[in-house]
Amino acid sequence: MAWRSIKSSVRLLLGLALIVSGVTLFLFPGLKVLHYFVFDPGLTDKGGSQWAFDLHKSLSKRYEKYARDRLQSGEAEKLTPDDIAETEWPLFGSVFYLWATENLQKTWEANPRFSKTAPKLYARGAVDAAARLVLEPSQARWVKEHWGDEHYLKRENVFYRMLLLSAMTAHHNLTGSAERLPFLREQAEGLSKEIDASPFGLLDDYPAQCYPADVVAAIAAIRRADEVLGTDHREFAARAIRGFEGVRVGRLGLPAYAASSQSGFPMDLSRGCANSYFTTFAPQIWPEKANDWFTAYLEHFWQSNAFAAGFREFPRSQEHSEYYFDVDAGPVVGGLGTAATAFGIGAARTNGRYDIARPLSAQALAASWPLPGGMLLMPRLLSNAAHAPLLGEAAVVFQLSQEPHAGANIVRGGRTPLCFYLMLALYILAAAVFLRCGWRLVRPKLPLVQPPPTRPSD
């Protein structure tokens, strides 16, 4: 009798586990994906995305705790320059979050239907914590080792200093705080003069490591700081285009992934992860050139068929493995780069190409695997679990929050790839299997009811 009772209890618990798993891991995500696909026109057109606002609200609650815990842990001071994801991603993710909050605040001010409360208000705690994480010197040990304690804020170090500029500008725009404006002015003036004085308009991120896309992002950060400081670096930006002309642009008409800041020559061909990144920022400073770059990017890197669409990590004309991985590109599958395709959403939206943003957004929505509570399972798995678990989600919000730059030619249309419908069907089918199996285990086993005996007729 006891054995039957234990067996019955195990069946019940297993059945309940299957039902809960089916609802939370498959049915809820499937319905959520379907809801946004049908009812969120902002995924495929300008004017703001409801999914971006909903995800940002959820992320804000979690990001404040993450940033504060990261500061208190002291983990950053234990890392070395070889720990690339562990050092860069916590700060990069925080800047993605701040950029996204800025973008959503502007959208909300134009149309407050997306949220009862302004993003800068409900996210104030996370904004403060994210900015502090970026600006805290204890988080900069890796660049101090590269450049030295005395020089890391004054010499090259483009990527890190771009993060500082962006965090200070966003924090001021969202909070009105003027506390860091002197430091912002110092960094904007110092970095712009250094780029201006460089031999070819290029500076290194780390010694002998120059990534032109980061220089583009830094110039855009200086121009955004102008709006806060009342300064004017338009002439500087016009001169800075020299870093992306002549021999510094390869045969594809796109800046190289890596270059020599001392000779100006490319050290690597153009790559998708860098192209999606800098074509998101280039329209802020060189709209006409940015349009040419995005057109060339589409010509050489866009890959689309009935099943899936995205940006290749390597151009079609270059012989390279269709399967690849590194810290910048992420997994490359069938030629499509994870980072190139994900960041391509923001690039397409910024350049007004919603015919490109449509298939990319649909794929990102289905592949994100939204869970109750707001977490996106797949971006979480692709992030650094120990040091930057929220990077992926912050990057998704940043992409979805992009709006076309002033003067962009809006192109609508685009086709939803078959893989979106297959992923949606997978959610629903898996939910049905889990729920059916769970119900078969928990449903009561009713005893057979015997019909009452009949009396013989008299």
Side-chain angles (χ1 to χ4, degrees):
M1 193 69 178
W3 170 245
R4 287 185 179 180
S5 178
I6 294 174
K7 184 178 179 181
S8 178
S9 297
V10 170
R11 284 174 58 89
L12 177 62
L13 291 174
L14 180 58
L16 290 174
L18 288 172
I19 291 173
V20 171
S21 297
V23 171
T24 58
L25 293 179
F26 299 106
L27 182 60
F28 177 89
L31 295 177
K32 206 72 172 175
V33 167
L34 183 61
H35 169 79
Y36 286 122
F37 181 70
V38 174
F39 296 108
D40 187 3
L43 287 176
T44 56
D45 205 345
K46 63 179 183 177
S49 163
Q50 188 62 58
W51 184 34
F53 273 86
D54 293 346
L55 177 56
H56 183 261
K57 287 180 183 178
S58 164
L59 181 61
S60 296
K61 299 174 184 176
R62 292 176 281 133
Y63 214 95
E64 180 177 1
K65 182 179 185 306
Y66 158 72
R68 295 187 188 283
D69 289 347
R70 176 74 178 178
L71 281 165
Q72 294 173 3
S73 70
E75 286 297 317
E77 298 178 74
K78 305 173 186 176
L79 300 171
T80 72
D82 294 328
D83 300 314
I84 298 174
E86 293 81 356
T87 54
E88 291 185 359
W89 289 10
L91 275 60
F92 207 9
S94 296
V95 169
F96 278 137
Y97 173 78
L98 292 168
W99 280 335
T101 309
E102 272 191 295
N103 291 342
L104 294 177
Q105 178 62 29
K106 291 177 183 177
T107 300
W108 185 88
E109 289 171 359
N111 188 351
R113 71 177 179 86
F114 294 102
S115 172
K116 293 181 180 179
T117 309
K120 70 178 183 180
L121 297 180
Y122 69 69
R124 176 58 191 266
V127 167
D128 285 339
R132 186 185 166 203
L133 181 63
V134 177
L135 296 166
E136 177 58 48
S138 65
Q139 304 299 304
R141 177 180 173 180
W142 97 99
V143 288
K144 290 179 182 179
E145 289 194 26
H146 276 300
W147 298 105
D149 288 1
E150 298 297 320
H151 301 289
Y152 82 103
L153 294 175
K154 300 176 182 178
R155 178 186 172 194
E156 304 200 63
N157 196 12
V158 170
F159 174 68
Y160 178 77
R161 292 166 74 187
M162 178 277 293
L163 296 179
L164 296 181
L165 286 166
S166 299
M168 288 187 283
T169 300
H171 187 265
H172 172 79
N173 286 337
L174 293 167
T175 69
S177 172
E179 177 185 357
R180 299 185 176 94
L181 293 189
F183 185 39
L184 175 62
R185 183 183 300 273
E186 174 189 315
Q187 284 299 307
E189 292 296 337
L191 187 55
S192 61
K193 289 178 180 178
E194 197 173 355
I195 294 173
D196 233 1
S198 65
F200 300 98
L202 299 173
L203 295 176
D204 290 347
D205 283 353
Y206 312 122
Q209 296 183 49
C210 173
Y211 300 98
D214 288 334
V215 180
V216 173
I219 297 168
I222 292 168
R223 292 291 289 124
R224 288 195 302 273
D226 281 342
E227 300 173 11
V228 170
L229 298 170
T231 51
D232 187 350
H233 285 90
R234 280 178 294 182
E235 292 185 3
F236 153 73
R239 292 190 299 271
I241 192 68
R242 69 192 176 99
F244 309 91
E245 294 180 325
V247 297
R248 285 166 289 289
V249 177
R251 57 183 173 79
L252 303 180
L254 292 161
Y257 167 72
S260 168
S261 61
Q262 298 305 307
S263 69
F265 284 100
M267 298 179 66
D268 200 346
L269 291 177
S270 176
R271 284 180 52 178
C273 60
N275 293 337
S276 289
Y277 182 55
F278 80 75
T279 56
T280 299
F281 293 104
Q284 301 174 23
I285 41 182
W286 308 304
E288 293 183 6
K289 177 61 71 175
N291 182 67
D292 293 341
W293 282 338
F294 194 74
T295 300
Y297 187 28
L298 288 175
E299 179 183 352
H300 297 289
F301 287 82
W302 180 247
Q303 178 173 301
S304 177
N305 54 42
F307 180 75
F311 286 102
R312 296 178 59 84
E313 179 59 23
F314 302 95
R316 284 185 295 274
S317 59
Q318 179 184 356
E319 291 188 10
H320 198 283
S321 173
E322 297 288 277
Y323 297 89
Y324 176 79
F325 175 85
D326 69 26
V327 69
D328 288 334
V332 175
V333 180
L336 296 179
T338 300
T341 299
F343 280 81
I345 298 172
R349 293 175 67 94
T350 302
N351 287 276
R353 293 298 303 267
Y354 287 91
D355 58 327
I356 301 299
R358 179 185 180 90
L360 299 184
S361 298
Q363 291 174 165
L365 174 63
S368 66
W369 208 320
L371 298 178
M375 185 181 83
L376 301 183
L377 180 59
M378 194 55 65
R380 175 68 71 91
L381 293 176
L382 292 173
S383 301
N384 186 290
H387 295 274
L390 303 181
L391 168 73
E393 291 173 88
V396 169
V397 183
F398 171 66
Q399 306 307 315
L400 296 173
S401 68
Q402 293 297 316
E403 291 292 311
H405 71 88
N409 180 35
I410 307 301
V411 181
R412 296 180 175 86
R415 180 177 58 184
T416 303
L418 179 60
C419 66
F420 169 83
Y421 298 104
L422 293 177
M423 286 187 279
L424 181 60
L426 179 62
Y427 283 128
I428 303 305
L429 179 61
V433 171
F434 271 65
L435 293 176
R436 177 177 174 81
C437 293
W439 173 245
R440 292 183 67 179
L441 290 172
V442 302
R443 66 181 179 182
K445 290 186 175 297
L446 299 176
L448 293 176
V449 179
Q450 299 293 335
T454 57
R455 297 177 60 184
S457 57
D458 294 331

